[in-house]
Amino acid sequence: MRYAYFPGCSLSSSGYDYNLSLKYVAKALGIDLAEVKDWVCCGASSAHATSHLLSIALPVLNLSHAEKDGFDKLIAPCLACLSRFKAANVELEHDADLKKKIHEVFDYKYQGKVRVYHPLEVFLEMGIEKIRERIRKKLKGLKVACYYGCALTRPPKVCQFDNVEDPQSMDTIVKALGAETIDWSFKTECCGVSMTLTRSDMVLKLSNDILREAKEAGANAITVACPLCQANLDGRQRQIEEAYKTRYGIPILYFTQLMGLAFGAYPKELGIQKLITSPREVLGSVGLM
Amino acid sequence: MTVVFSKENLKLSKDLQTLTGENVMLCYQCKKCTLGCPSAYAMRMKPHELMRATQFGLAEEIYWSGAIWICLSCETCNTRCPQDINILRVIDGLREMSKESEYYNPYPAIPALHRIFMALVERFGKVYELGLALLINLRMLTPFKDIDMASPMLLKGKLKPLPHFSHGAKELRKVMARIRAMEKDRFA
Ligand code: SF4
Ligand code: SF4
């Protein structure tokens, strides 16, 4: 199966390990990822704060590249990109006025033919059996809190995926890998990443709430589906521990890294050594590292 | 109690409706938005209060509170509003309409970040994380903020010292210039 692939800015720097593990897993499942030609930034949380038209134009620019190259499906692994892309498609479909303006801005008239998916959606659509077949090593002993963040399910009108307040998609996959997933109430709370540079105090508070809840619910690892959530919960964990005088030491793994481990990949092939909070102890104790 | 809306009071909600398509008058103050809002604790004007203020046309109070910049764009309020108001779209509309020269903003660094972000994207076609962090830290007069977070990330190669260029940047600049021309005097 061939998909246009929009890695987004994060996956070439702080989300390098996400990119690596996603590509590994996709290949193992027979999914062909073709990077969108000459892609540019989706505008993330800054474009829509300055101009609505711009916030739609940036995703459209990338979607038209994919459409021109004959793709009708696109994978966006970062939740900021994903939600901008999905919003652009939905708004263009329902707002004729906006569509007219967008067509004025571009030489190429985007037809709205490219459907946008998160890798979770694609994997589940293929069927959980496909994933089970690939498993070489069960992830027994891991107690995982699946953290979905804001933009995978919200707003439901745009995302049209999973249960908005209590999503299950990542839990389904992680359970199929043989790990245990915990029930907790912070699955879709916001980690605050859009304010990471300007109001770090808010980010520390919100991310601390998430880490604390996961730990109290008995998790020994958290799994995420977005490079921004990951950078916050992992990269800032030391700062959070200092600010709140506590110790978590809880590794934040991408769900694709867990899939890769279960598929029998070496940790290095999945970029696991790049995690800031070391997963060595947790993965070591269950014989995965 | 009767509330009389003058033309002047109604200007803000009308302008917002033209810009965003959202009708703030539908809000009946159930407070569901505020109860689920992760940043309400840090807002001087909570989301439901902000909605009321837009109904009354209290632009000055809204901008002075700075609440529109504290919002994290997490979309929880939209998802839960029983009146199906897209509250974030209203907030984005207020952000677009904000004229910093006219009203005091207690958090000027936040819109500054959005502008620096977009300027770097316009230049390179992609986000340049380290450059963005350095520029906004200079803007906030805290040049060494987060150095404890950045250094392990640099060492692990998770932050790139130099920007990436996209070949699409040229087309992007053309698009951005066209949008600027189209929107030049929209709030005049
Ligand atoms: S949830 Fe909707 S109706 Fe209720 S207070 Fe907020 S904006 Fe108003
Ligand atoms: S989008 Fe903004 S106002 Fe709405 S719940 Fe999230 S942080 Fe609060």
Side-chain angles (χ1 to χ4, degrees):
Chain A
M1 240 183 307
R2 220 167 120 75
Y3 286 85
Y5 178 48
F6 183 86
C9 305
S10 289
L11 269 77
S12 47
S13 54
S14 59
Y16 164 87
D17 34 3
Y18 190 15
N19 195 29
L20 209 61
S21 54
L22 173 61
K23 283 191 168 158
Y24 181 95
V25 172
K27 194 164 166 215
L29 294 172
I31 297 169
D32 195 3
L33 300 175
E35 193 160 321
V36 174
K37 222 188 285 157
D38 297 341
W39 60 267
V40 295
C41 172
C42 70
S45 47
S46 285
H48 68 78
T50 51
S51 154
H52 182 64
L53 184 58
L54 178 63
S55 78
I56 302 292
L58 295 176
V60 167
L61 201 161
N62 294 299
L63 286 166
S64 350
H65 286 188
E67 194 176 72
K68 269 192 272 185
D69 286 341
F71 290 98
D72 58 0
K73 289 176 177 157
L74 178 143
I75 292 186
C78 167
L79 294 187
C81 314
L82 180 85
S83 66
R84 296 320 313 161
F85 277 84
K86 284 194 173 181
N89 268 341
V90 170
E91 291 205 25
L92 284 180
E93 199 183 319
H94 292 111
D95 190 340
D97 216 37
L98 181 69
K99 194 168 175 177
K100 209 178 111 224
K101 274 196 203 149
I102 283 289
H103 282 178
E104 262 172 60
V105 172
F106 288 96
D107 300 329
Y108 174 81
K109 310 276 173 262
Y110 173 58
Q111 297 302 311
K113 286 212 187 95
V114 186
R115 275 208 63 178
V116 181
Y117 299 88
H118 187 270
L120 274 174
E121 297 181 77
V122 174
F123 296 159
L124 282 175
E125 230 167 66
M126 291 178 70
I128 204 79
E129 271 318 306
K130 273 253 161 44
I131 296 175
R132 282 219 181 88
E133 280 166 22
R134 293 287 319 177
I135 296 175
R136 302 285 173 271
K137 222 178 336 180
K138 288 257 181 186
L139 305 183
K140 282 241 154 48
L142 276 189
K143 285 190 183 167
V144 182
C146 294
Y147 175 66
Y148 296 77
C150 301
L152 198 59
T153 59
R154 269 196 312 263
K157 260 186 269 176
V158 168
C159 298
Q160 301 170 5
F161 176 58
D162 213 338
N163 182 310
V164 59
E165 304 277 5
D166 183 18
Q168 297 295 336
S169 48
M170 215 184 322
D171 289 71
T172 309
I173 291 183
V174 172
K175 270 190 230 157
L177 304 175
E180 192 187 319
T181 65
I182 59 152
D183 241 345
W184 65 317
S185 53
F186 271 58
K187 281 181 171 178
T188 60
E189 287 297 314
C190 178
C191 72
V193 74
S194 60
M195 221 74 102
T196 189
L197 295 171
T198 41
R199 281 294 298 261
S200 309
D201 60 312
M202 288 176 67
V203 178
L204 295 186
K205 181 209 174 275
L206 296 171
S207 300
N208 177 56
D209 291 346
I210 293 165
L211 292 171
R212 190 194 58 230
E213 285 295 315
K215 191 108 191 179
E216 275 177 10
N220 57 16
I222 296 179
T223 175
V224 293
C226 170
L228 304 175
C229 308
Q230 206 281 344
N232 238 358
L233 296 176
D234 187 21
R236 286 201 185 271
Q237 200 169 125
R238 192 68 62 69
Q239 289 183 341
I240 294 167
E241 292 174 336
E242 262 167 42
Y244 290 88
K245 309 251 175 309
T246 176
R247 164 114 186 97
Y248 294 117
I250 192 164
I252 315 293
L253 293 126
Y254 292 105
F255 75 101
T256 43
Q257 289 178 320
L258 288 185
M259 289 175 80
L261 284 173
F263 289 1
Y266 293 111
K268 251 209 156 116
E269 292 178 275
L270 308 165
I272 286 186
Q273 79 284 3
K274 298 268 175 192
L275 300 178
I276 307 286
T277 308
S278 170
R280 196 166 283 276
E281 202 181 310
V282 176
L283 293 181
S285 71
V286 296
L288 287 167
M289 208 172 165
Chain B
M1 192 179 86
T2 25
V3 180
V4 184
F5 287 104
S6 69
K7 229 180 169 170
E8 217 169 277
N9 289 142
L10 288 170
K11 186 171 178 326
L12 183 66
S13 53
K14 286 239 169 73
D15 287 353
L16 276 169
Q17 187 155 21
T18 318
L19 181 66
T20 69
E22 295 298 321
N23 180 3
V24 295
M25 292 301 178
L26 291 173
C27 169
Y28 52 34
Q29 291 292 295
C30 73
K31 297 192 192 157
K32 226 174 158 180
C33 47
T34 296
L35 289 173
C37 172
S39 54
Y41 83 96
M43 288 173 170
R44 291 194 234 174
M45 187 185 270
K46 318 286 176 212
H48 75 283
E49 294 169 340
L50 188 128
M51 293 303 289
R52 187 56 121 200
T54 56
Q55 294 175 340
F56 287 158
L58 305 175
E60 190 169 334
E61 283 78 355
I62 291 172
Y63 288 119
W64 272 61
S65 80
I68 55 165
W69 302 113
I70 294 296
C71 160
L72 296 155
S73 308
C74 77
E75 316 241 17
T76 307
C77 49
N78 312 341
T79 302
R80 297 185 182 167
C81 174
Q83 288 290 74
D84 206 16
I85 305 170
N86 187 338
I87 299 145
L88 175 58
R89 186 74 189 91
V90 173
I91 291 177
D92 270 336
L94 288 163
R95 287 167 173 164
E96 283 189 55
M97 282 158 59
S98 73
K99 288 183 211 152
E100 284 175 76
S101 48
E102 268 176 43
Y103 298 115
Y104 168 76
N105 172 7
Y107 314 111
I110 301 172
L113 175 95
H114 296 313
R115 283 193 302 266
I116 298 172
F117 184 104
M118 289 319 299
L120 288 172
V121 167
E122 188 163 8
R123 175 85 182 77
F124 302 118
K126 296 185 185 180
V127 178
Y128 171 31
E129 289 166 335
L130 193 65
L132 181 65
L134 287 174
L135 285 171
I136 193 65
N137 281 349
L138 285 176
R139 170 72 181 67
M140 297 193 296
L141 307 178
T142 51
F144 302 116
K145 184 175 154 297
D146 284 336
I147 208 153
D148 54 335
M149 176 195 185
S151 38
M153 290 185 82
L154 274 165
L155 282 176
K156 294 220 173 202
K158 289 198 117 186
L159 265 181
K160 301 282 181 237
L162 295 172
H164 288 276
F165 283 92
S166 163
H167 291 296
K170 219 171 133 194
E171 188 186 359
L172 172 79
R173 281 197 284 273
K174 199 168 82 186
V175 165
M176 286 179 82
R178 281 191 191 161
I179 291 177
R180 256 198 296 271
M182 277 165 79
E183 295 191 330
K184 198 169 65 221
D185 30 40
R186 62 183 166 152
F187 305 125

